[in-house]
Amino acid sequence: MEDAEWECTVEAPVNIALVKYWGKRDSELILPYNDSVSLTLDEEKLGTRTTVRYSASYEEDSLVLNGKPTVISSRLSNVIEEIRRAFRKQAVRIKMNAQDLMSMSRYRFRIETNNKMPTAAGLASSASGMACITFALCTALGITESVDMSELARLGSGSACRSIHGGLVQWEAGKEEDGSDSLAKQIYPASTWPELKFIVLVVDGEKKKVGSTEGMQRSMATSEYMLLRPKQCKDRIQEVCWAFQAKLFPALAEVIIKDSNTLHAICRDSYPPVNYLTRTSEALIDFVHRLNEALGDVCVAYTFDAGPNCFVIFEEKHESLLMWLLLHTFIENDVIDPTIHRQPKWDDDELAKYTAIIDEFSNYRNSVKSYYETTVGSGPKVVNAPRLI
Ligand code: DP6
């Protein structure tokens, strides 16, 4: 059966860091300088789908990314080699018969992977992309249960290790030189807080100028603020876990907002400075603070990764108000659907308050080109289990 061809399809989600990973203690093994914590989003809208065909008769590994044949990067090639190594170890452990071991070790992979959102636009497509390929190859080789896939995905892109799990996920920086303790673990499942919602506002869907790998390298080399990060992140992660478990949104939101602001302050403090935020991003920050002031509590949080797009986090009960305001300020007008988006019922005071906010941000009308609404998700899933083709 040397020329048998197999196929499987999987999906993996984007994750959004609440306490950010920024800086590496080892660039080769992609070991982070600080712990981080994230929420995995529902893969339905923000995620990646990968189909892998594999056979011992294929001559080499290949990759088609978003429909285009693409050279396999050295990072991805590390991931593939590590997965092969993990498979061989596992095969020896379970005493797989020699013929199967020989044939499966010779599998070459034709990887076809598609992001559901703009690639490299600060929507964490590298996280879902690398997690998805890792999950697909481990599914193909039947080792999803016997290896720590977060360790393998990490070699492709640091933040990818967190997309291996659903819900609230922590990635520990670890101390070991070989990275064996730098793993991502689920802290709480997605079902803990189903009322949590996200709106991702796409400010600029273009490829960013300074990638996160380069940006964090620059910060490590030049920003003294980085020295505060390891301890600061540990403390903030504790607060996030506590607030998440108790479902205390204002406490959670405050940490999220502060950590996003810290990341971008560090970027500006780096030399030469890196600025990922645009005027629209800055206006969205002001908008969220204005809205929280009007609501009398921290009911809405924002966070930005290495890009201008805004991840807005809130509880379901504030959804219609938030959507209404965004649709009348930042989001392109032509997406308003009067059958879905109705003005919430307001008394006179509320009407005055919210109309004032709409007026204040009227200059930014149409500056958000598209948006995605989503929830917390439960992690990668198999769409089609391995089958002969
Ligand atoms: C700002 O995982 O893209 O999104 O490990 O070099 O591939 P590499 O970097 P990457 O960095 C993501 C940084 C961030 C924050 C975060 O996701 O924690």
Side-chain angles (χ1 to χ4, degrees), residues 299-320:
C299 301
V300 182
Y302 57 81
T303 184
F304 296 81
D305 277 345
N309 303 317
C310 184
F311 294 77
V312 187
I313 310 170
F314 51 96
E315 286 180 293
E316 200 168 13
K317 59 186 174 204
H318 297 297
E319 186 172 7
S320 53

Side-chain angles (χ1 to χ4, degrees), residues 283 286-288 290-291 294 320-331 333 336 342-344 346 349-367:
D286 291 342
F287 166 83
V288 170
R290 270 292 276 119
L291 178 56
S320 53
L321 168 64
L322 182 60
M323 247 355 260
W324 183 259
L325 295 181
L326 284 171
L327 284 167
H328 287 80
T329 48
F330 292 87
I331 298 178
N333 281 340
I336 298 179
R342 293 208 185 91
Q343 181 173 332
W346 290 333
D349 278 357
E350 286 168 329
L351 183 67
K353 238 175 12 186
Y354 299 133
T355 311
I357 295 182
I358 291 176
D359 288 347
E360 216 172 293
F361 292 91
S362 59
N363 283 348
Y364 292 92
R365 207 154 271 166
N366 298 343
S367 57

Side-chain angles (χ1 to χ4, degrees), residues 15-24 27 30-31 34-38 75 122 124 126-127 130 154-162 171 208 211-214 216 259 263-264 267 276 304-307:
N15 72 77
I16 176 69
L18 310 182
V19 174
K20 312 281 185 190
Y21 147 53
W22 197 247
K24 298 182 180 71
S27 309
I30 314 201
L31 302 177
N34 60 267
D35 297 357
S36 57
V37 77
S38 60
R75 280 183 174 194
S126 72
M130 286 295 180
R154 192 200 70 224
L155 296 168
S157 182
S159 54
C161 71
R162 296 185 311 236
W171 175 19
K208 57 199 178 200
S212 27
T213 308
E214 189 190 332
M216 63 177 82
D259 205 69
L263 169 72
H264 293 279
C267 290
Y276 290 116
F304 296 81
D305 277 345

Side-chain angles (χ1 to χ4, degrees), residues 10-11 37-38 50 69 155 159 161 188 217 220 229 265 274 300 306 318 320 329 339 346 371 375 378 380-382 386:
V10 306
E11 287 187 350
V37 77
S38 60
T50 300
L155 296 168
S159 54
C161 71
Y188 295 111
Q217 228 164 12
M220 282 298 277
R229 282 303 271 168
V274 190
V300 182
H318 297 297
S320 53
T329 48
T339 58
W346 290 333
Y371 70 96
T375 52
S378 42
K381 66 171 194 215
V382 175

